[in-house]
């Protein structure tokens, strides 16, 4: 239950609840009905469960869930421990049965049917019959024979699916954008791709020992989860120097989910007056990343640095 549970570890620990596997569908259905009955579904800018949760708080949300929809109390329990590894599954990992699973990164989740068909042929040749898609816009190939891993990686690389991506290719995601979504204001996929290519060249020799996530969204609905990204971009139109409209983004900084390097996860901050055009986006991201690396202390994460940085530094 997103935002409110992430305000402090103590709050999350006090309100954490356990759901048995056989109850998961019932509880999930109850949460959906709460959003249906109480959520701000008529307001485009707030048509997300997170806004209802932010107004109610986790304690009220749980009370309504248990009393009005489930008719019983859920058992209490401590908050889950923060993840100690990235959750995107990218790379080569050993399965319990000795085989491997391989996580591949398309560029901002873009993949044609032709390329996916070719990937399916590679997967079968590697002895696998199972592929999964992740919320991080990644592809996971399961049950790969160990001696077929390198051939799979090489073939997938030629198709644009890499198991050894650069930090920016790995940690950038984008929603569908104006190409296929009527709600979007901007072209997200091409903007994100061009930004990745520019950053891979400009920051090729820069050592990044902490991931910096870049999430690009075409409208306020945040399908790409901009509020929980290190750098989140919300698409909008802005007036160019010649008076015409151009793609631009409102910037959210320092958001994140619970992980080993974030003691207090939360939503990113916005800086008053900070908007970046699509053309200037690579320049902005490069500048703020370099500033972070110059000013960070004691190995702090990007989100931790953002929380203490002055607005002027973040522009």
């Amino acid at each position: 239950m997103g935002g409110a549970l992430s305000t402090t570890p103590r709050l999350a620990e006090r309100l954490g609840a356990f759901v048995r596997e056989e109850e998961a569908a019932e509880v999930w259905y109850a949460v959906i009905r709460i959003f249906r009955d109480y959520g701000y579904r008529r307001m485009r800018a707030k048509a997300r469960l997170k806004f209802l949760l932010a107004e109610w708080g986790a304690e009220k949300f749980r009370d309504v869930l248990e009393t009005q929809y489930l008719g019983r109390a859920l058992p209490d329990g401590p908050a889950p421990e923060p993840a100690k590894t990235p959750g995107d599954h990218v790379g080569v990992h050993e399965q319990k049965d000795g085989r491997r699973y391989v996580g591949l990164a398309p560029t901002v989740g873009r993949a044609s049917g032709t390329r996916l068909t070719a990937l399916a042929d590679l997967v079968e040749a590697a002895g696998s019959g199972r592929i999964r898609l992740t919320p991080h816009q990644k592809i996971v190939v399961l049950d790969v024979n160990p001696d077929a891993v390198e051939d799979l990686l090489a073939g997938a690389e030629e198709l644009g699916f890499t198991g050894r991506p650069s930090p920016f290719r790995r940690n950038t995601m984008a929603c569908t954008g104006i190409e296929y979504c009527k709600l979007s204001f901007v072209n997200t996929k091409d903007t994100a791709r061009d930004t990745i290519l520019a950053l891979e060249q400009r920051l090729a020799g820069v050592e990044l020992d902490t991931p910096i996530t870049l999430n690009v969204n075409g409208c306020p609905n945040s399908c790409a989860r901009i509020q929980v990204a290190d750098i989140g971009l919300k698409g909008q139109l802005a007036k160019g120097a010649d008076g015409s409209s151009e793609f631009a983004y409102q910037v959210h900084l320092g958001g994140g989910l619970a992980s080993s390097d974030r003691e207090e996860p939360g939503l990113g901050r916005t800086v008053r007056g900070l908007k970046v055009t699509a053309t200037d986006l690579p320049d902005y991201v490069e500048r703020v990343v370099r500033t972070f690396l110059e000013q960070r202390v004691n190995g702090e994460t990007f989100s931790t640095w953002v929380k203490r940085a002055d607005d002027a530094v973040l522009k």
Side-chain angles (χ1 to χ4, degrees):
M1 291 187 285
L5 280 183
S6 66
T7 53
T8 65
R10 289 184 179 180
L11 181 61
E13 184 172 340
R14 189 173 78 249
L15 296 177
F18 283 101
V19 178
R20 293 193 299 270
E21 182 177 356
E22 60 270 19
E23 298 176 313
E26 178 190 10
V27 174
W28 194 349
Y29 179 47
V31 171
I32 293 172
R33 286 184 292 152
I34 290 177
F35 177 67
R36 178 199 65 190
D37 297 339
Y38 294 102
Y40 309 114
R41 296 187 295 123
R42 295 180 181 274
M43 302 172 63
R44 176 178 172 181
K46 300 184 72 174
R48 286 291 186 270
L49 181 63
K50 63 187 178 187
F51 293 107
L52 176 64
L53 188 56
E55 179 177 317
W56 278 8
E59 194 165 3
K60 177 179 177 180
F61 191 98
R62 178 172 175 177
D63 178 66
V64 172
L65 174 68
E66 293 176 338
T67 58
Q68 297 185 28
Y69 291 83
L70 295 177
R72 68 180 188 282
L74 295 171
D76 291 319
E81 294 184 3
K84 294 180 173 57
T85 57
D88 58 13
H89 306 294
V90 170
V92 180
H93 309 271
E94 186 173 355
Q95 296 180 177
K96 292 181 178 179
D97 61 5
R99 291 182 288 182
R100 306 292 187 265
Y101 68 90
V102 180
L104 303 172
T107 301
V108 293
R110 173 165 278 173
S112 68
T114 302
R115 289 162 60 206
L116 288 173
T117 299
L119 178 62
D121 292 337
L122 289 174
V123 169
E124 287 187 352
S128 171
R130 295 197 296 164
I131 294 178
R132 297 292 184 267
L133 306 179
T134 81
H136 298 275
Q137 297 184 335
K138 304 297 187 289
I139 298 172
V140 181
V141 182
L142 305 171
D143 307 331
V144 178
N145 294 326
D147 57 1
V149 167
E150 290 303 322
D151 287 343
L152 173 62
L153 288 171
E157 189 79 39
E158 294 179 1
L159 297 172
F161 307 123
T162 177
R164 300 181 176 115
S166 70
F168 297 102
R169 193 172 297 268
R170 177 171 185 168
N171 296 307
T172 299
M173 63 185 297
C175 75
T176 298
I178 201 170
E179 294 173 287
Y180 299 108
C181 178
K182 65 180 181 180
L183 300 179
S184 180
F185 296 107
V186 299
N187 184 325
T188 57
K189 295 286 190 185
D190 291 334
T191 298
R193 180 203 60 205
D194 294 344
T195 300
I196 290 170
L197 293 173
L199 293 174
E200 285 178 338
Q201 294 179 353
R202 299 181 188 184
L203 299 174
V206 175
E207 188 69 27
L208 278 176
D209 60 356
T210 181
I212 298 178
T213 55
L214 176 64
N215 293 16
V216 186
N217 209 77
C219 78
N221 285 337
S222 194
C223 295
R225 307 189 292 280
I226 58 173
Q227 290 90 350
V228 292
D230 287 309
I231 304 174
L233 303 167
K234 181 176 73 174
Q236 54 190 228
L237 294 178
K239 290 294 183 182
D242 59 356
S244 61
S245 295
E246 63 179 327
F247 295 156
Y249 299 88
Q250 181 189 60
V251 182
H252 297 248
L253 294 168
L257 301 175
S259 67
S260 58
D261 56 9
R262 287 187 174 93
E263 293 183 0
E264 295 190 20
L267 305 182
R269 63 183 279 197
T270 56
V271 179
R272 182 179 295 275
L274 177 55
K275 296 178 183 178
V276 181
T277 65
T279 303
D280 294 335
L281 184 57
D283 292 338
Y284 173 75
V285 176
E286 179 188 7
R287 183 169 66 250
V288 76
V289 169
R290 288 188 184 276
T291 304
F292 156 65
L293 293 175
E294 291 171 1
Q295 297 187 358
R296 69 189 301 209
V297 294
N298 300 323
E300 66 186 342
T301 63
F302 184 87
S303 61
T304 303
W305 170 73
V306 165
K307 288 178 174 61
R308 66 174 179 81
D310 295 332
D311 285 2
V313 173
L314 301 175
K315 290 187 175 181

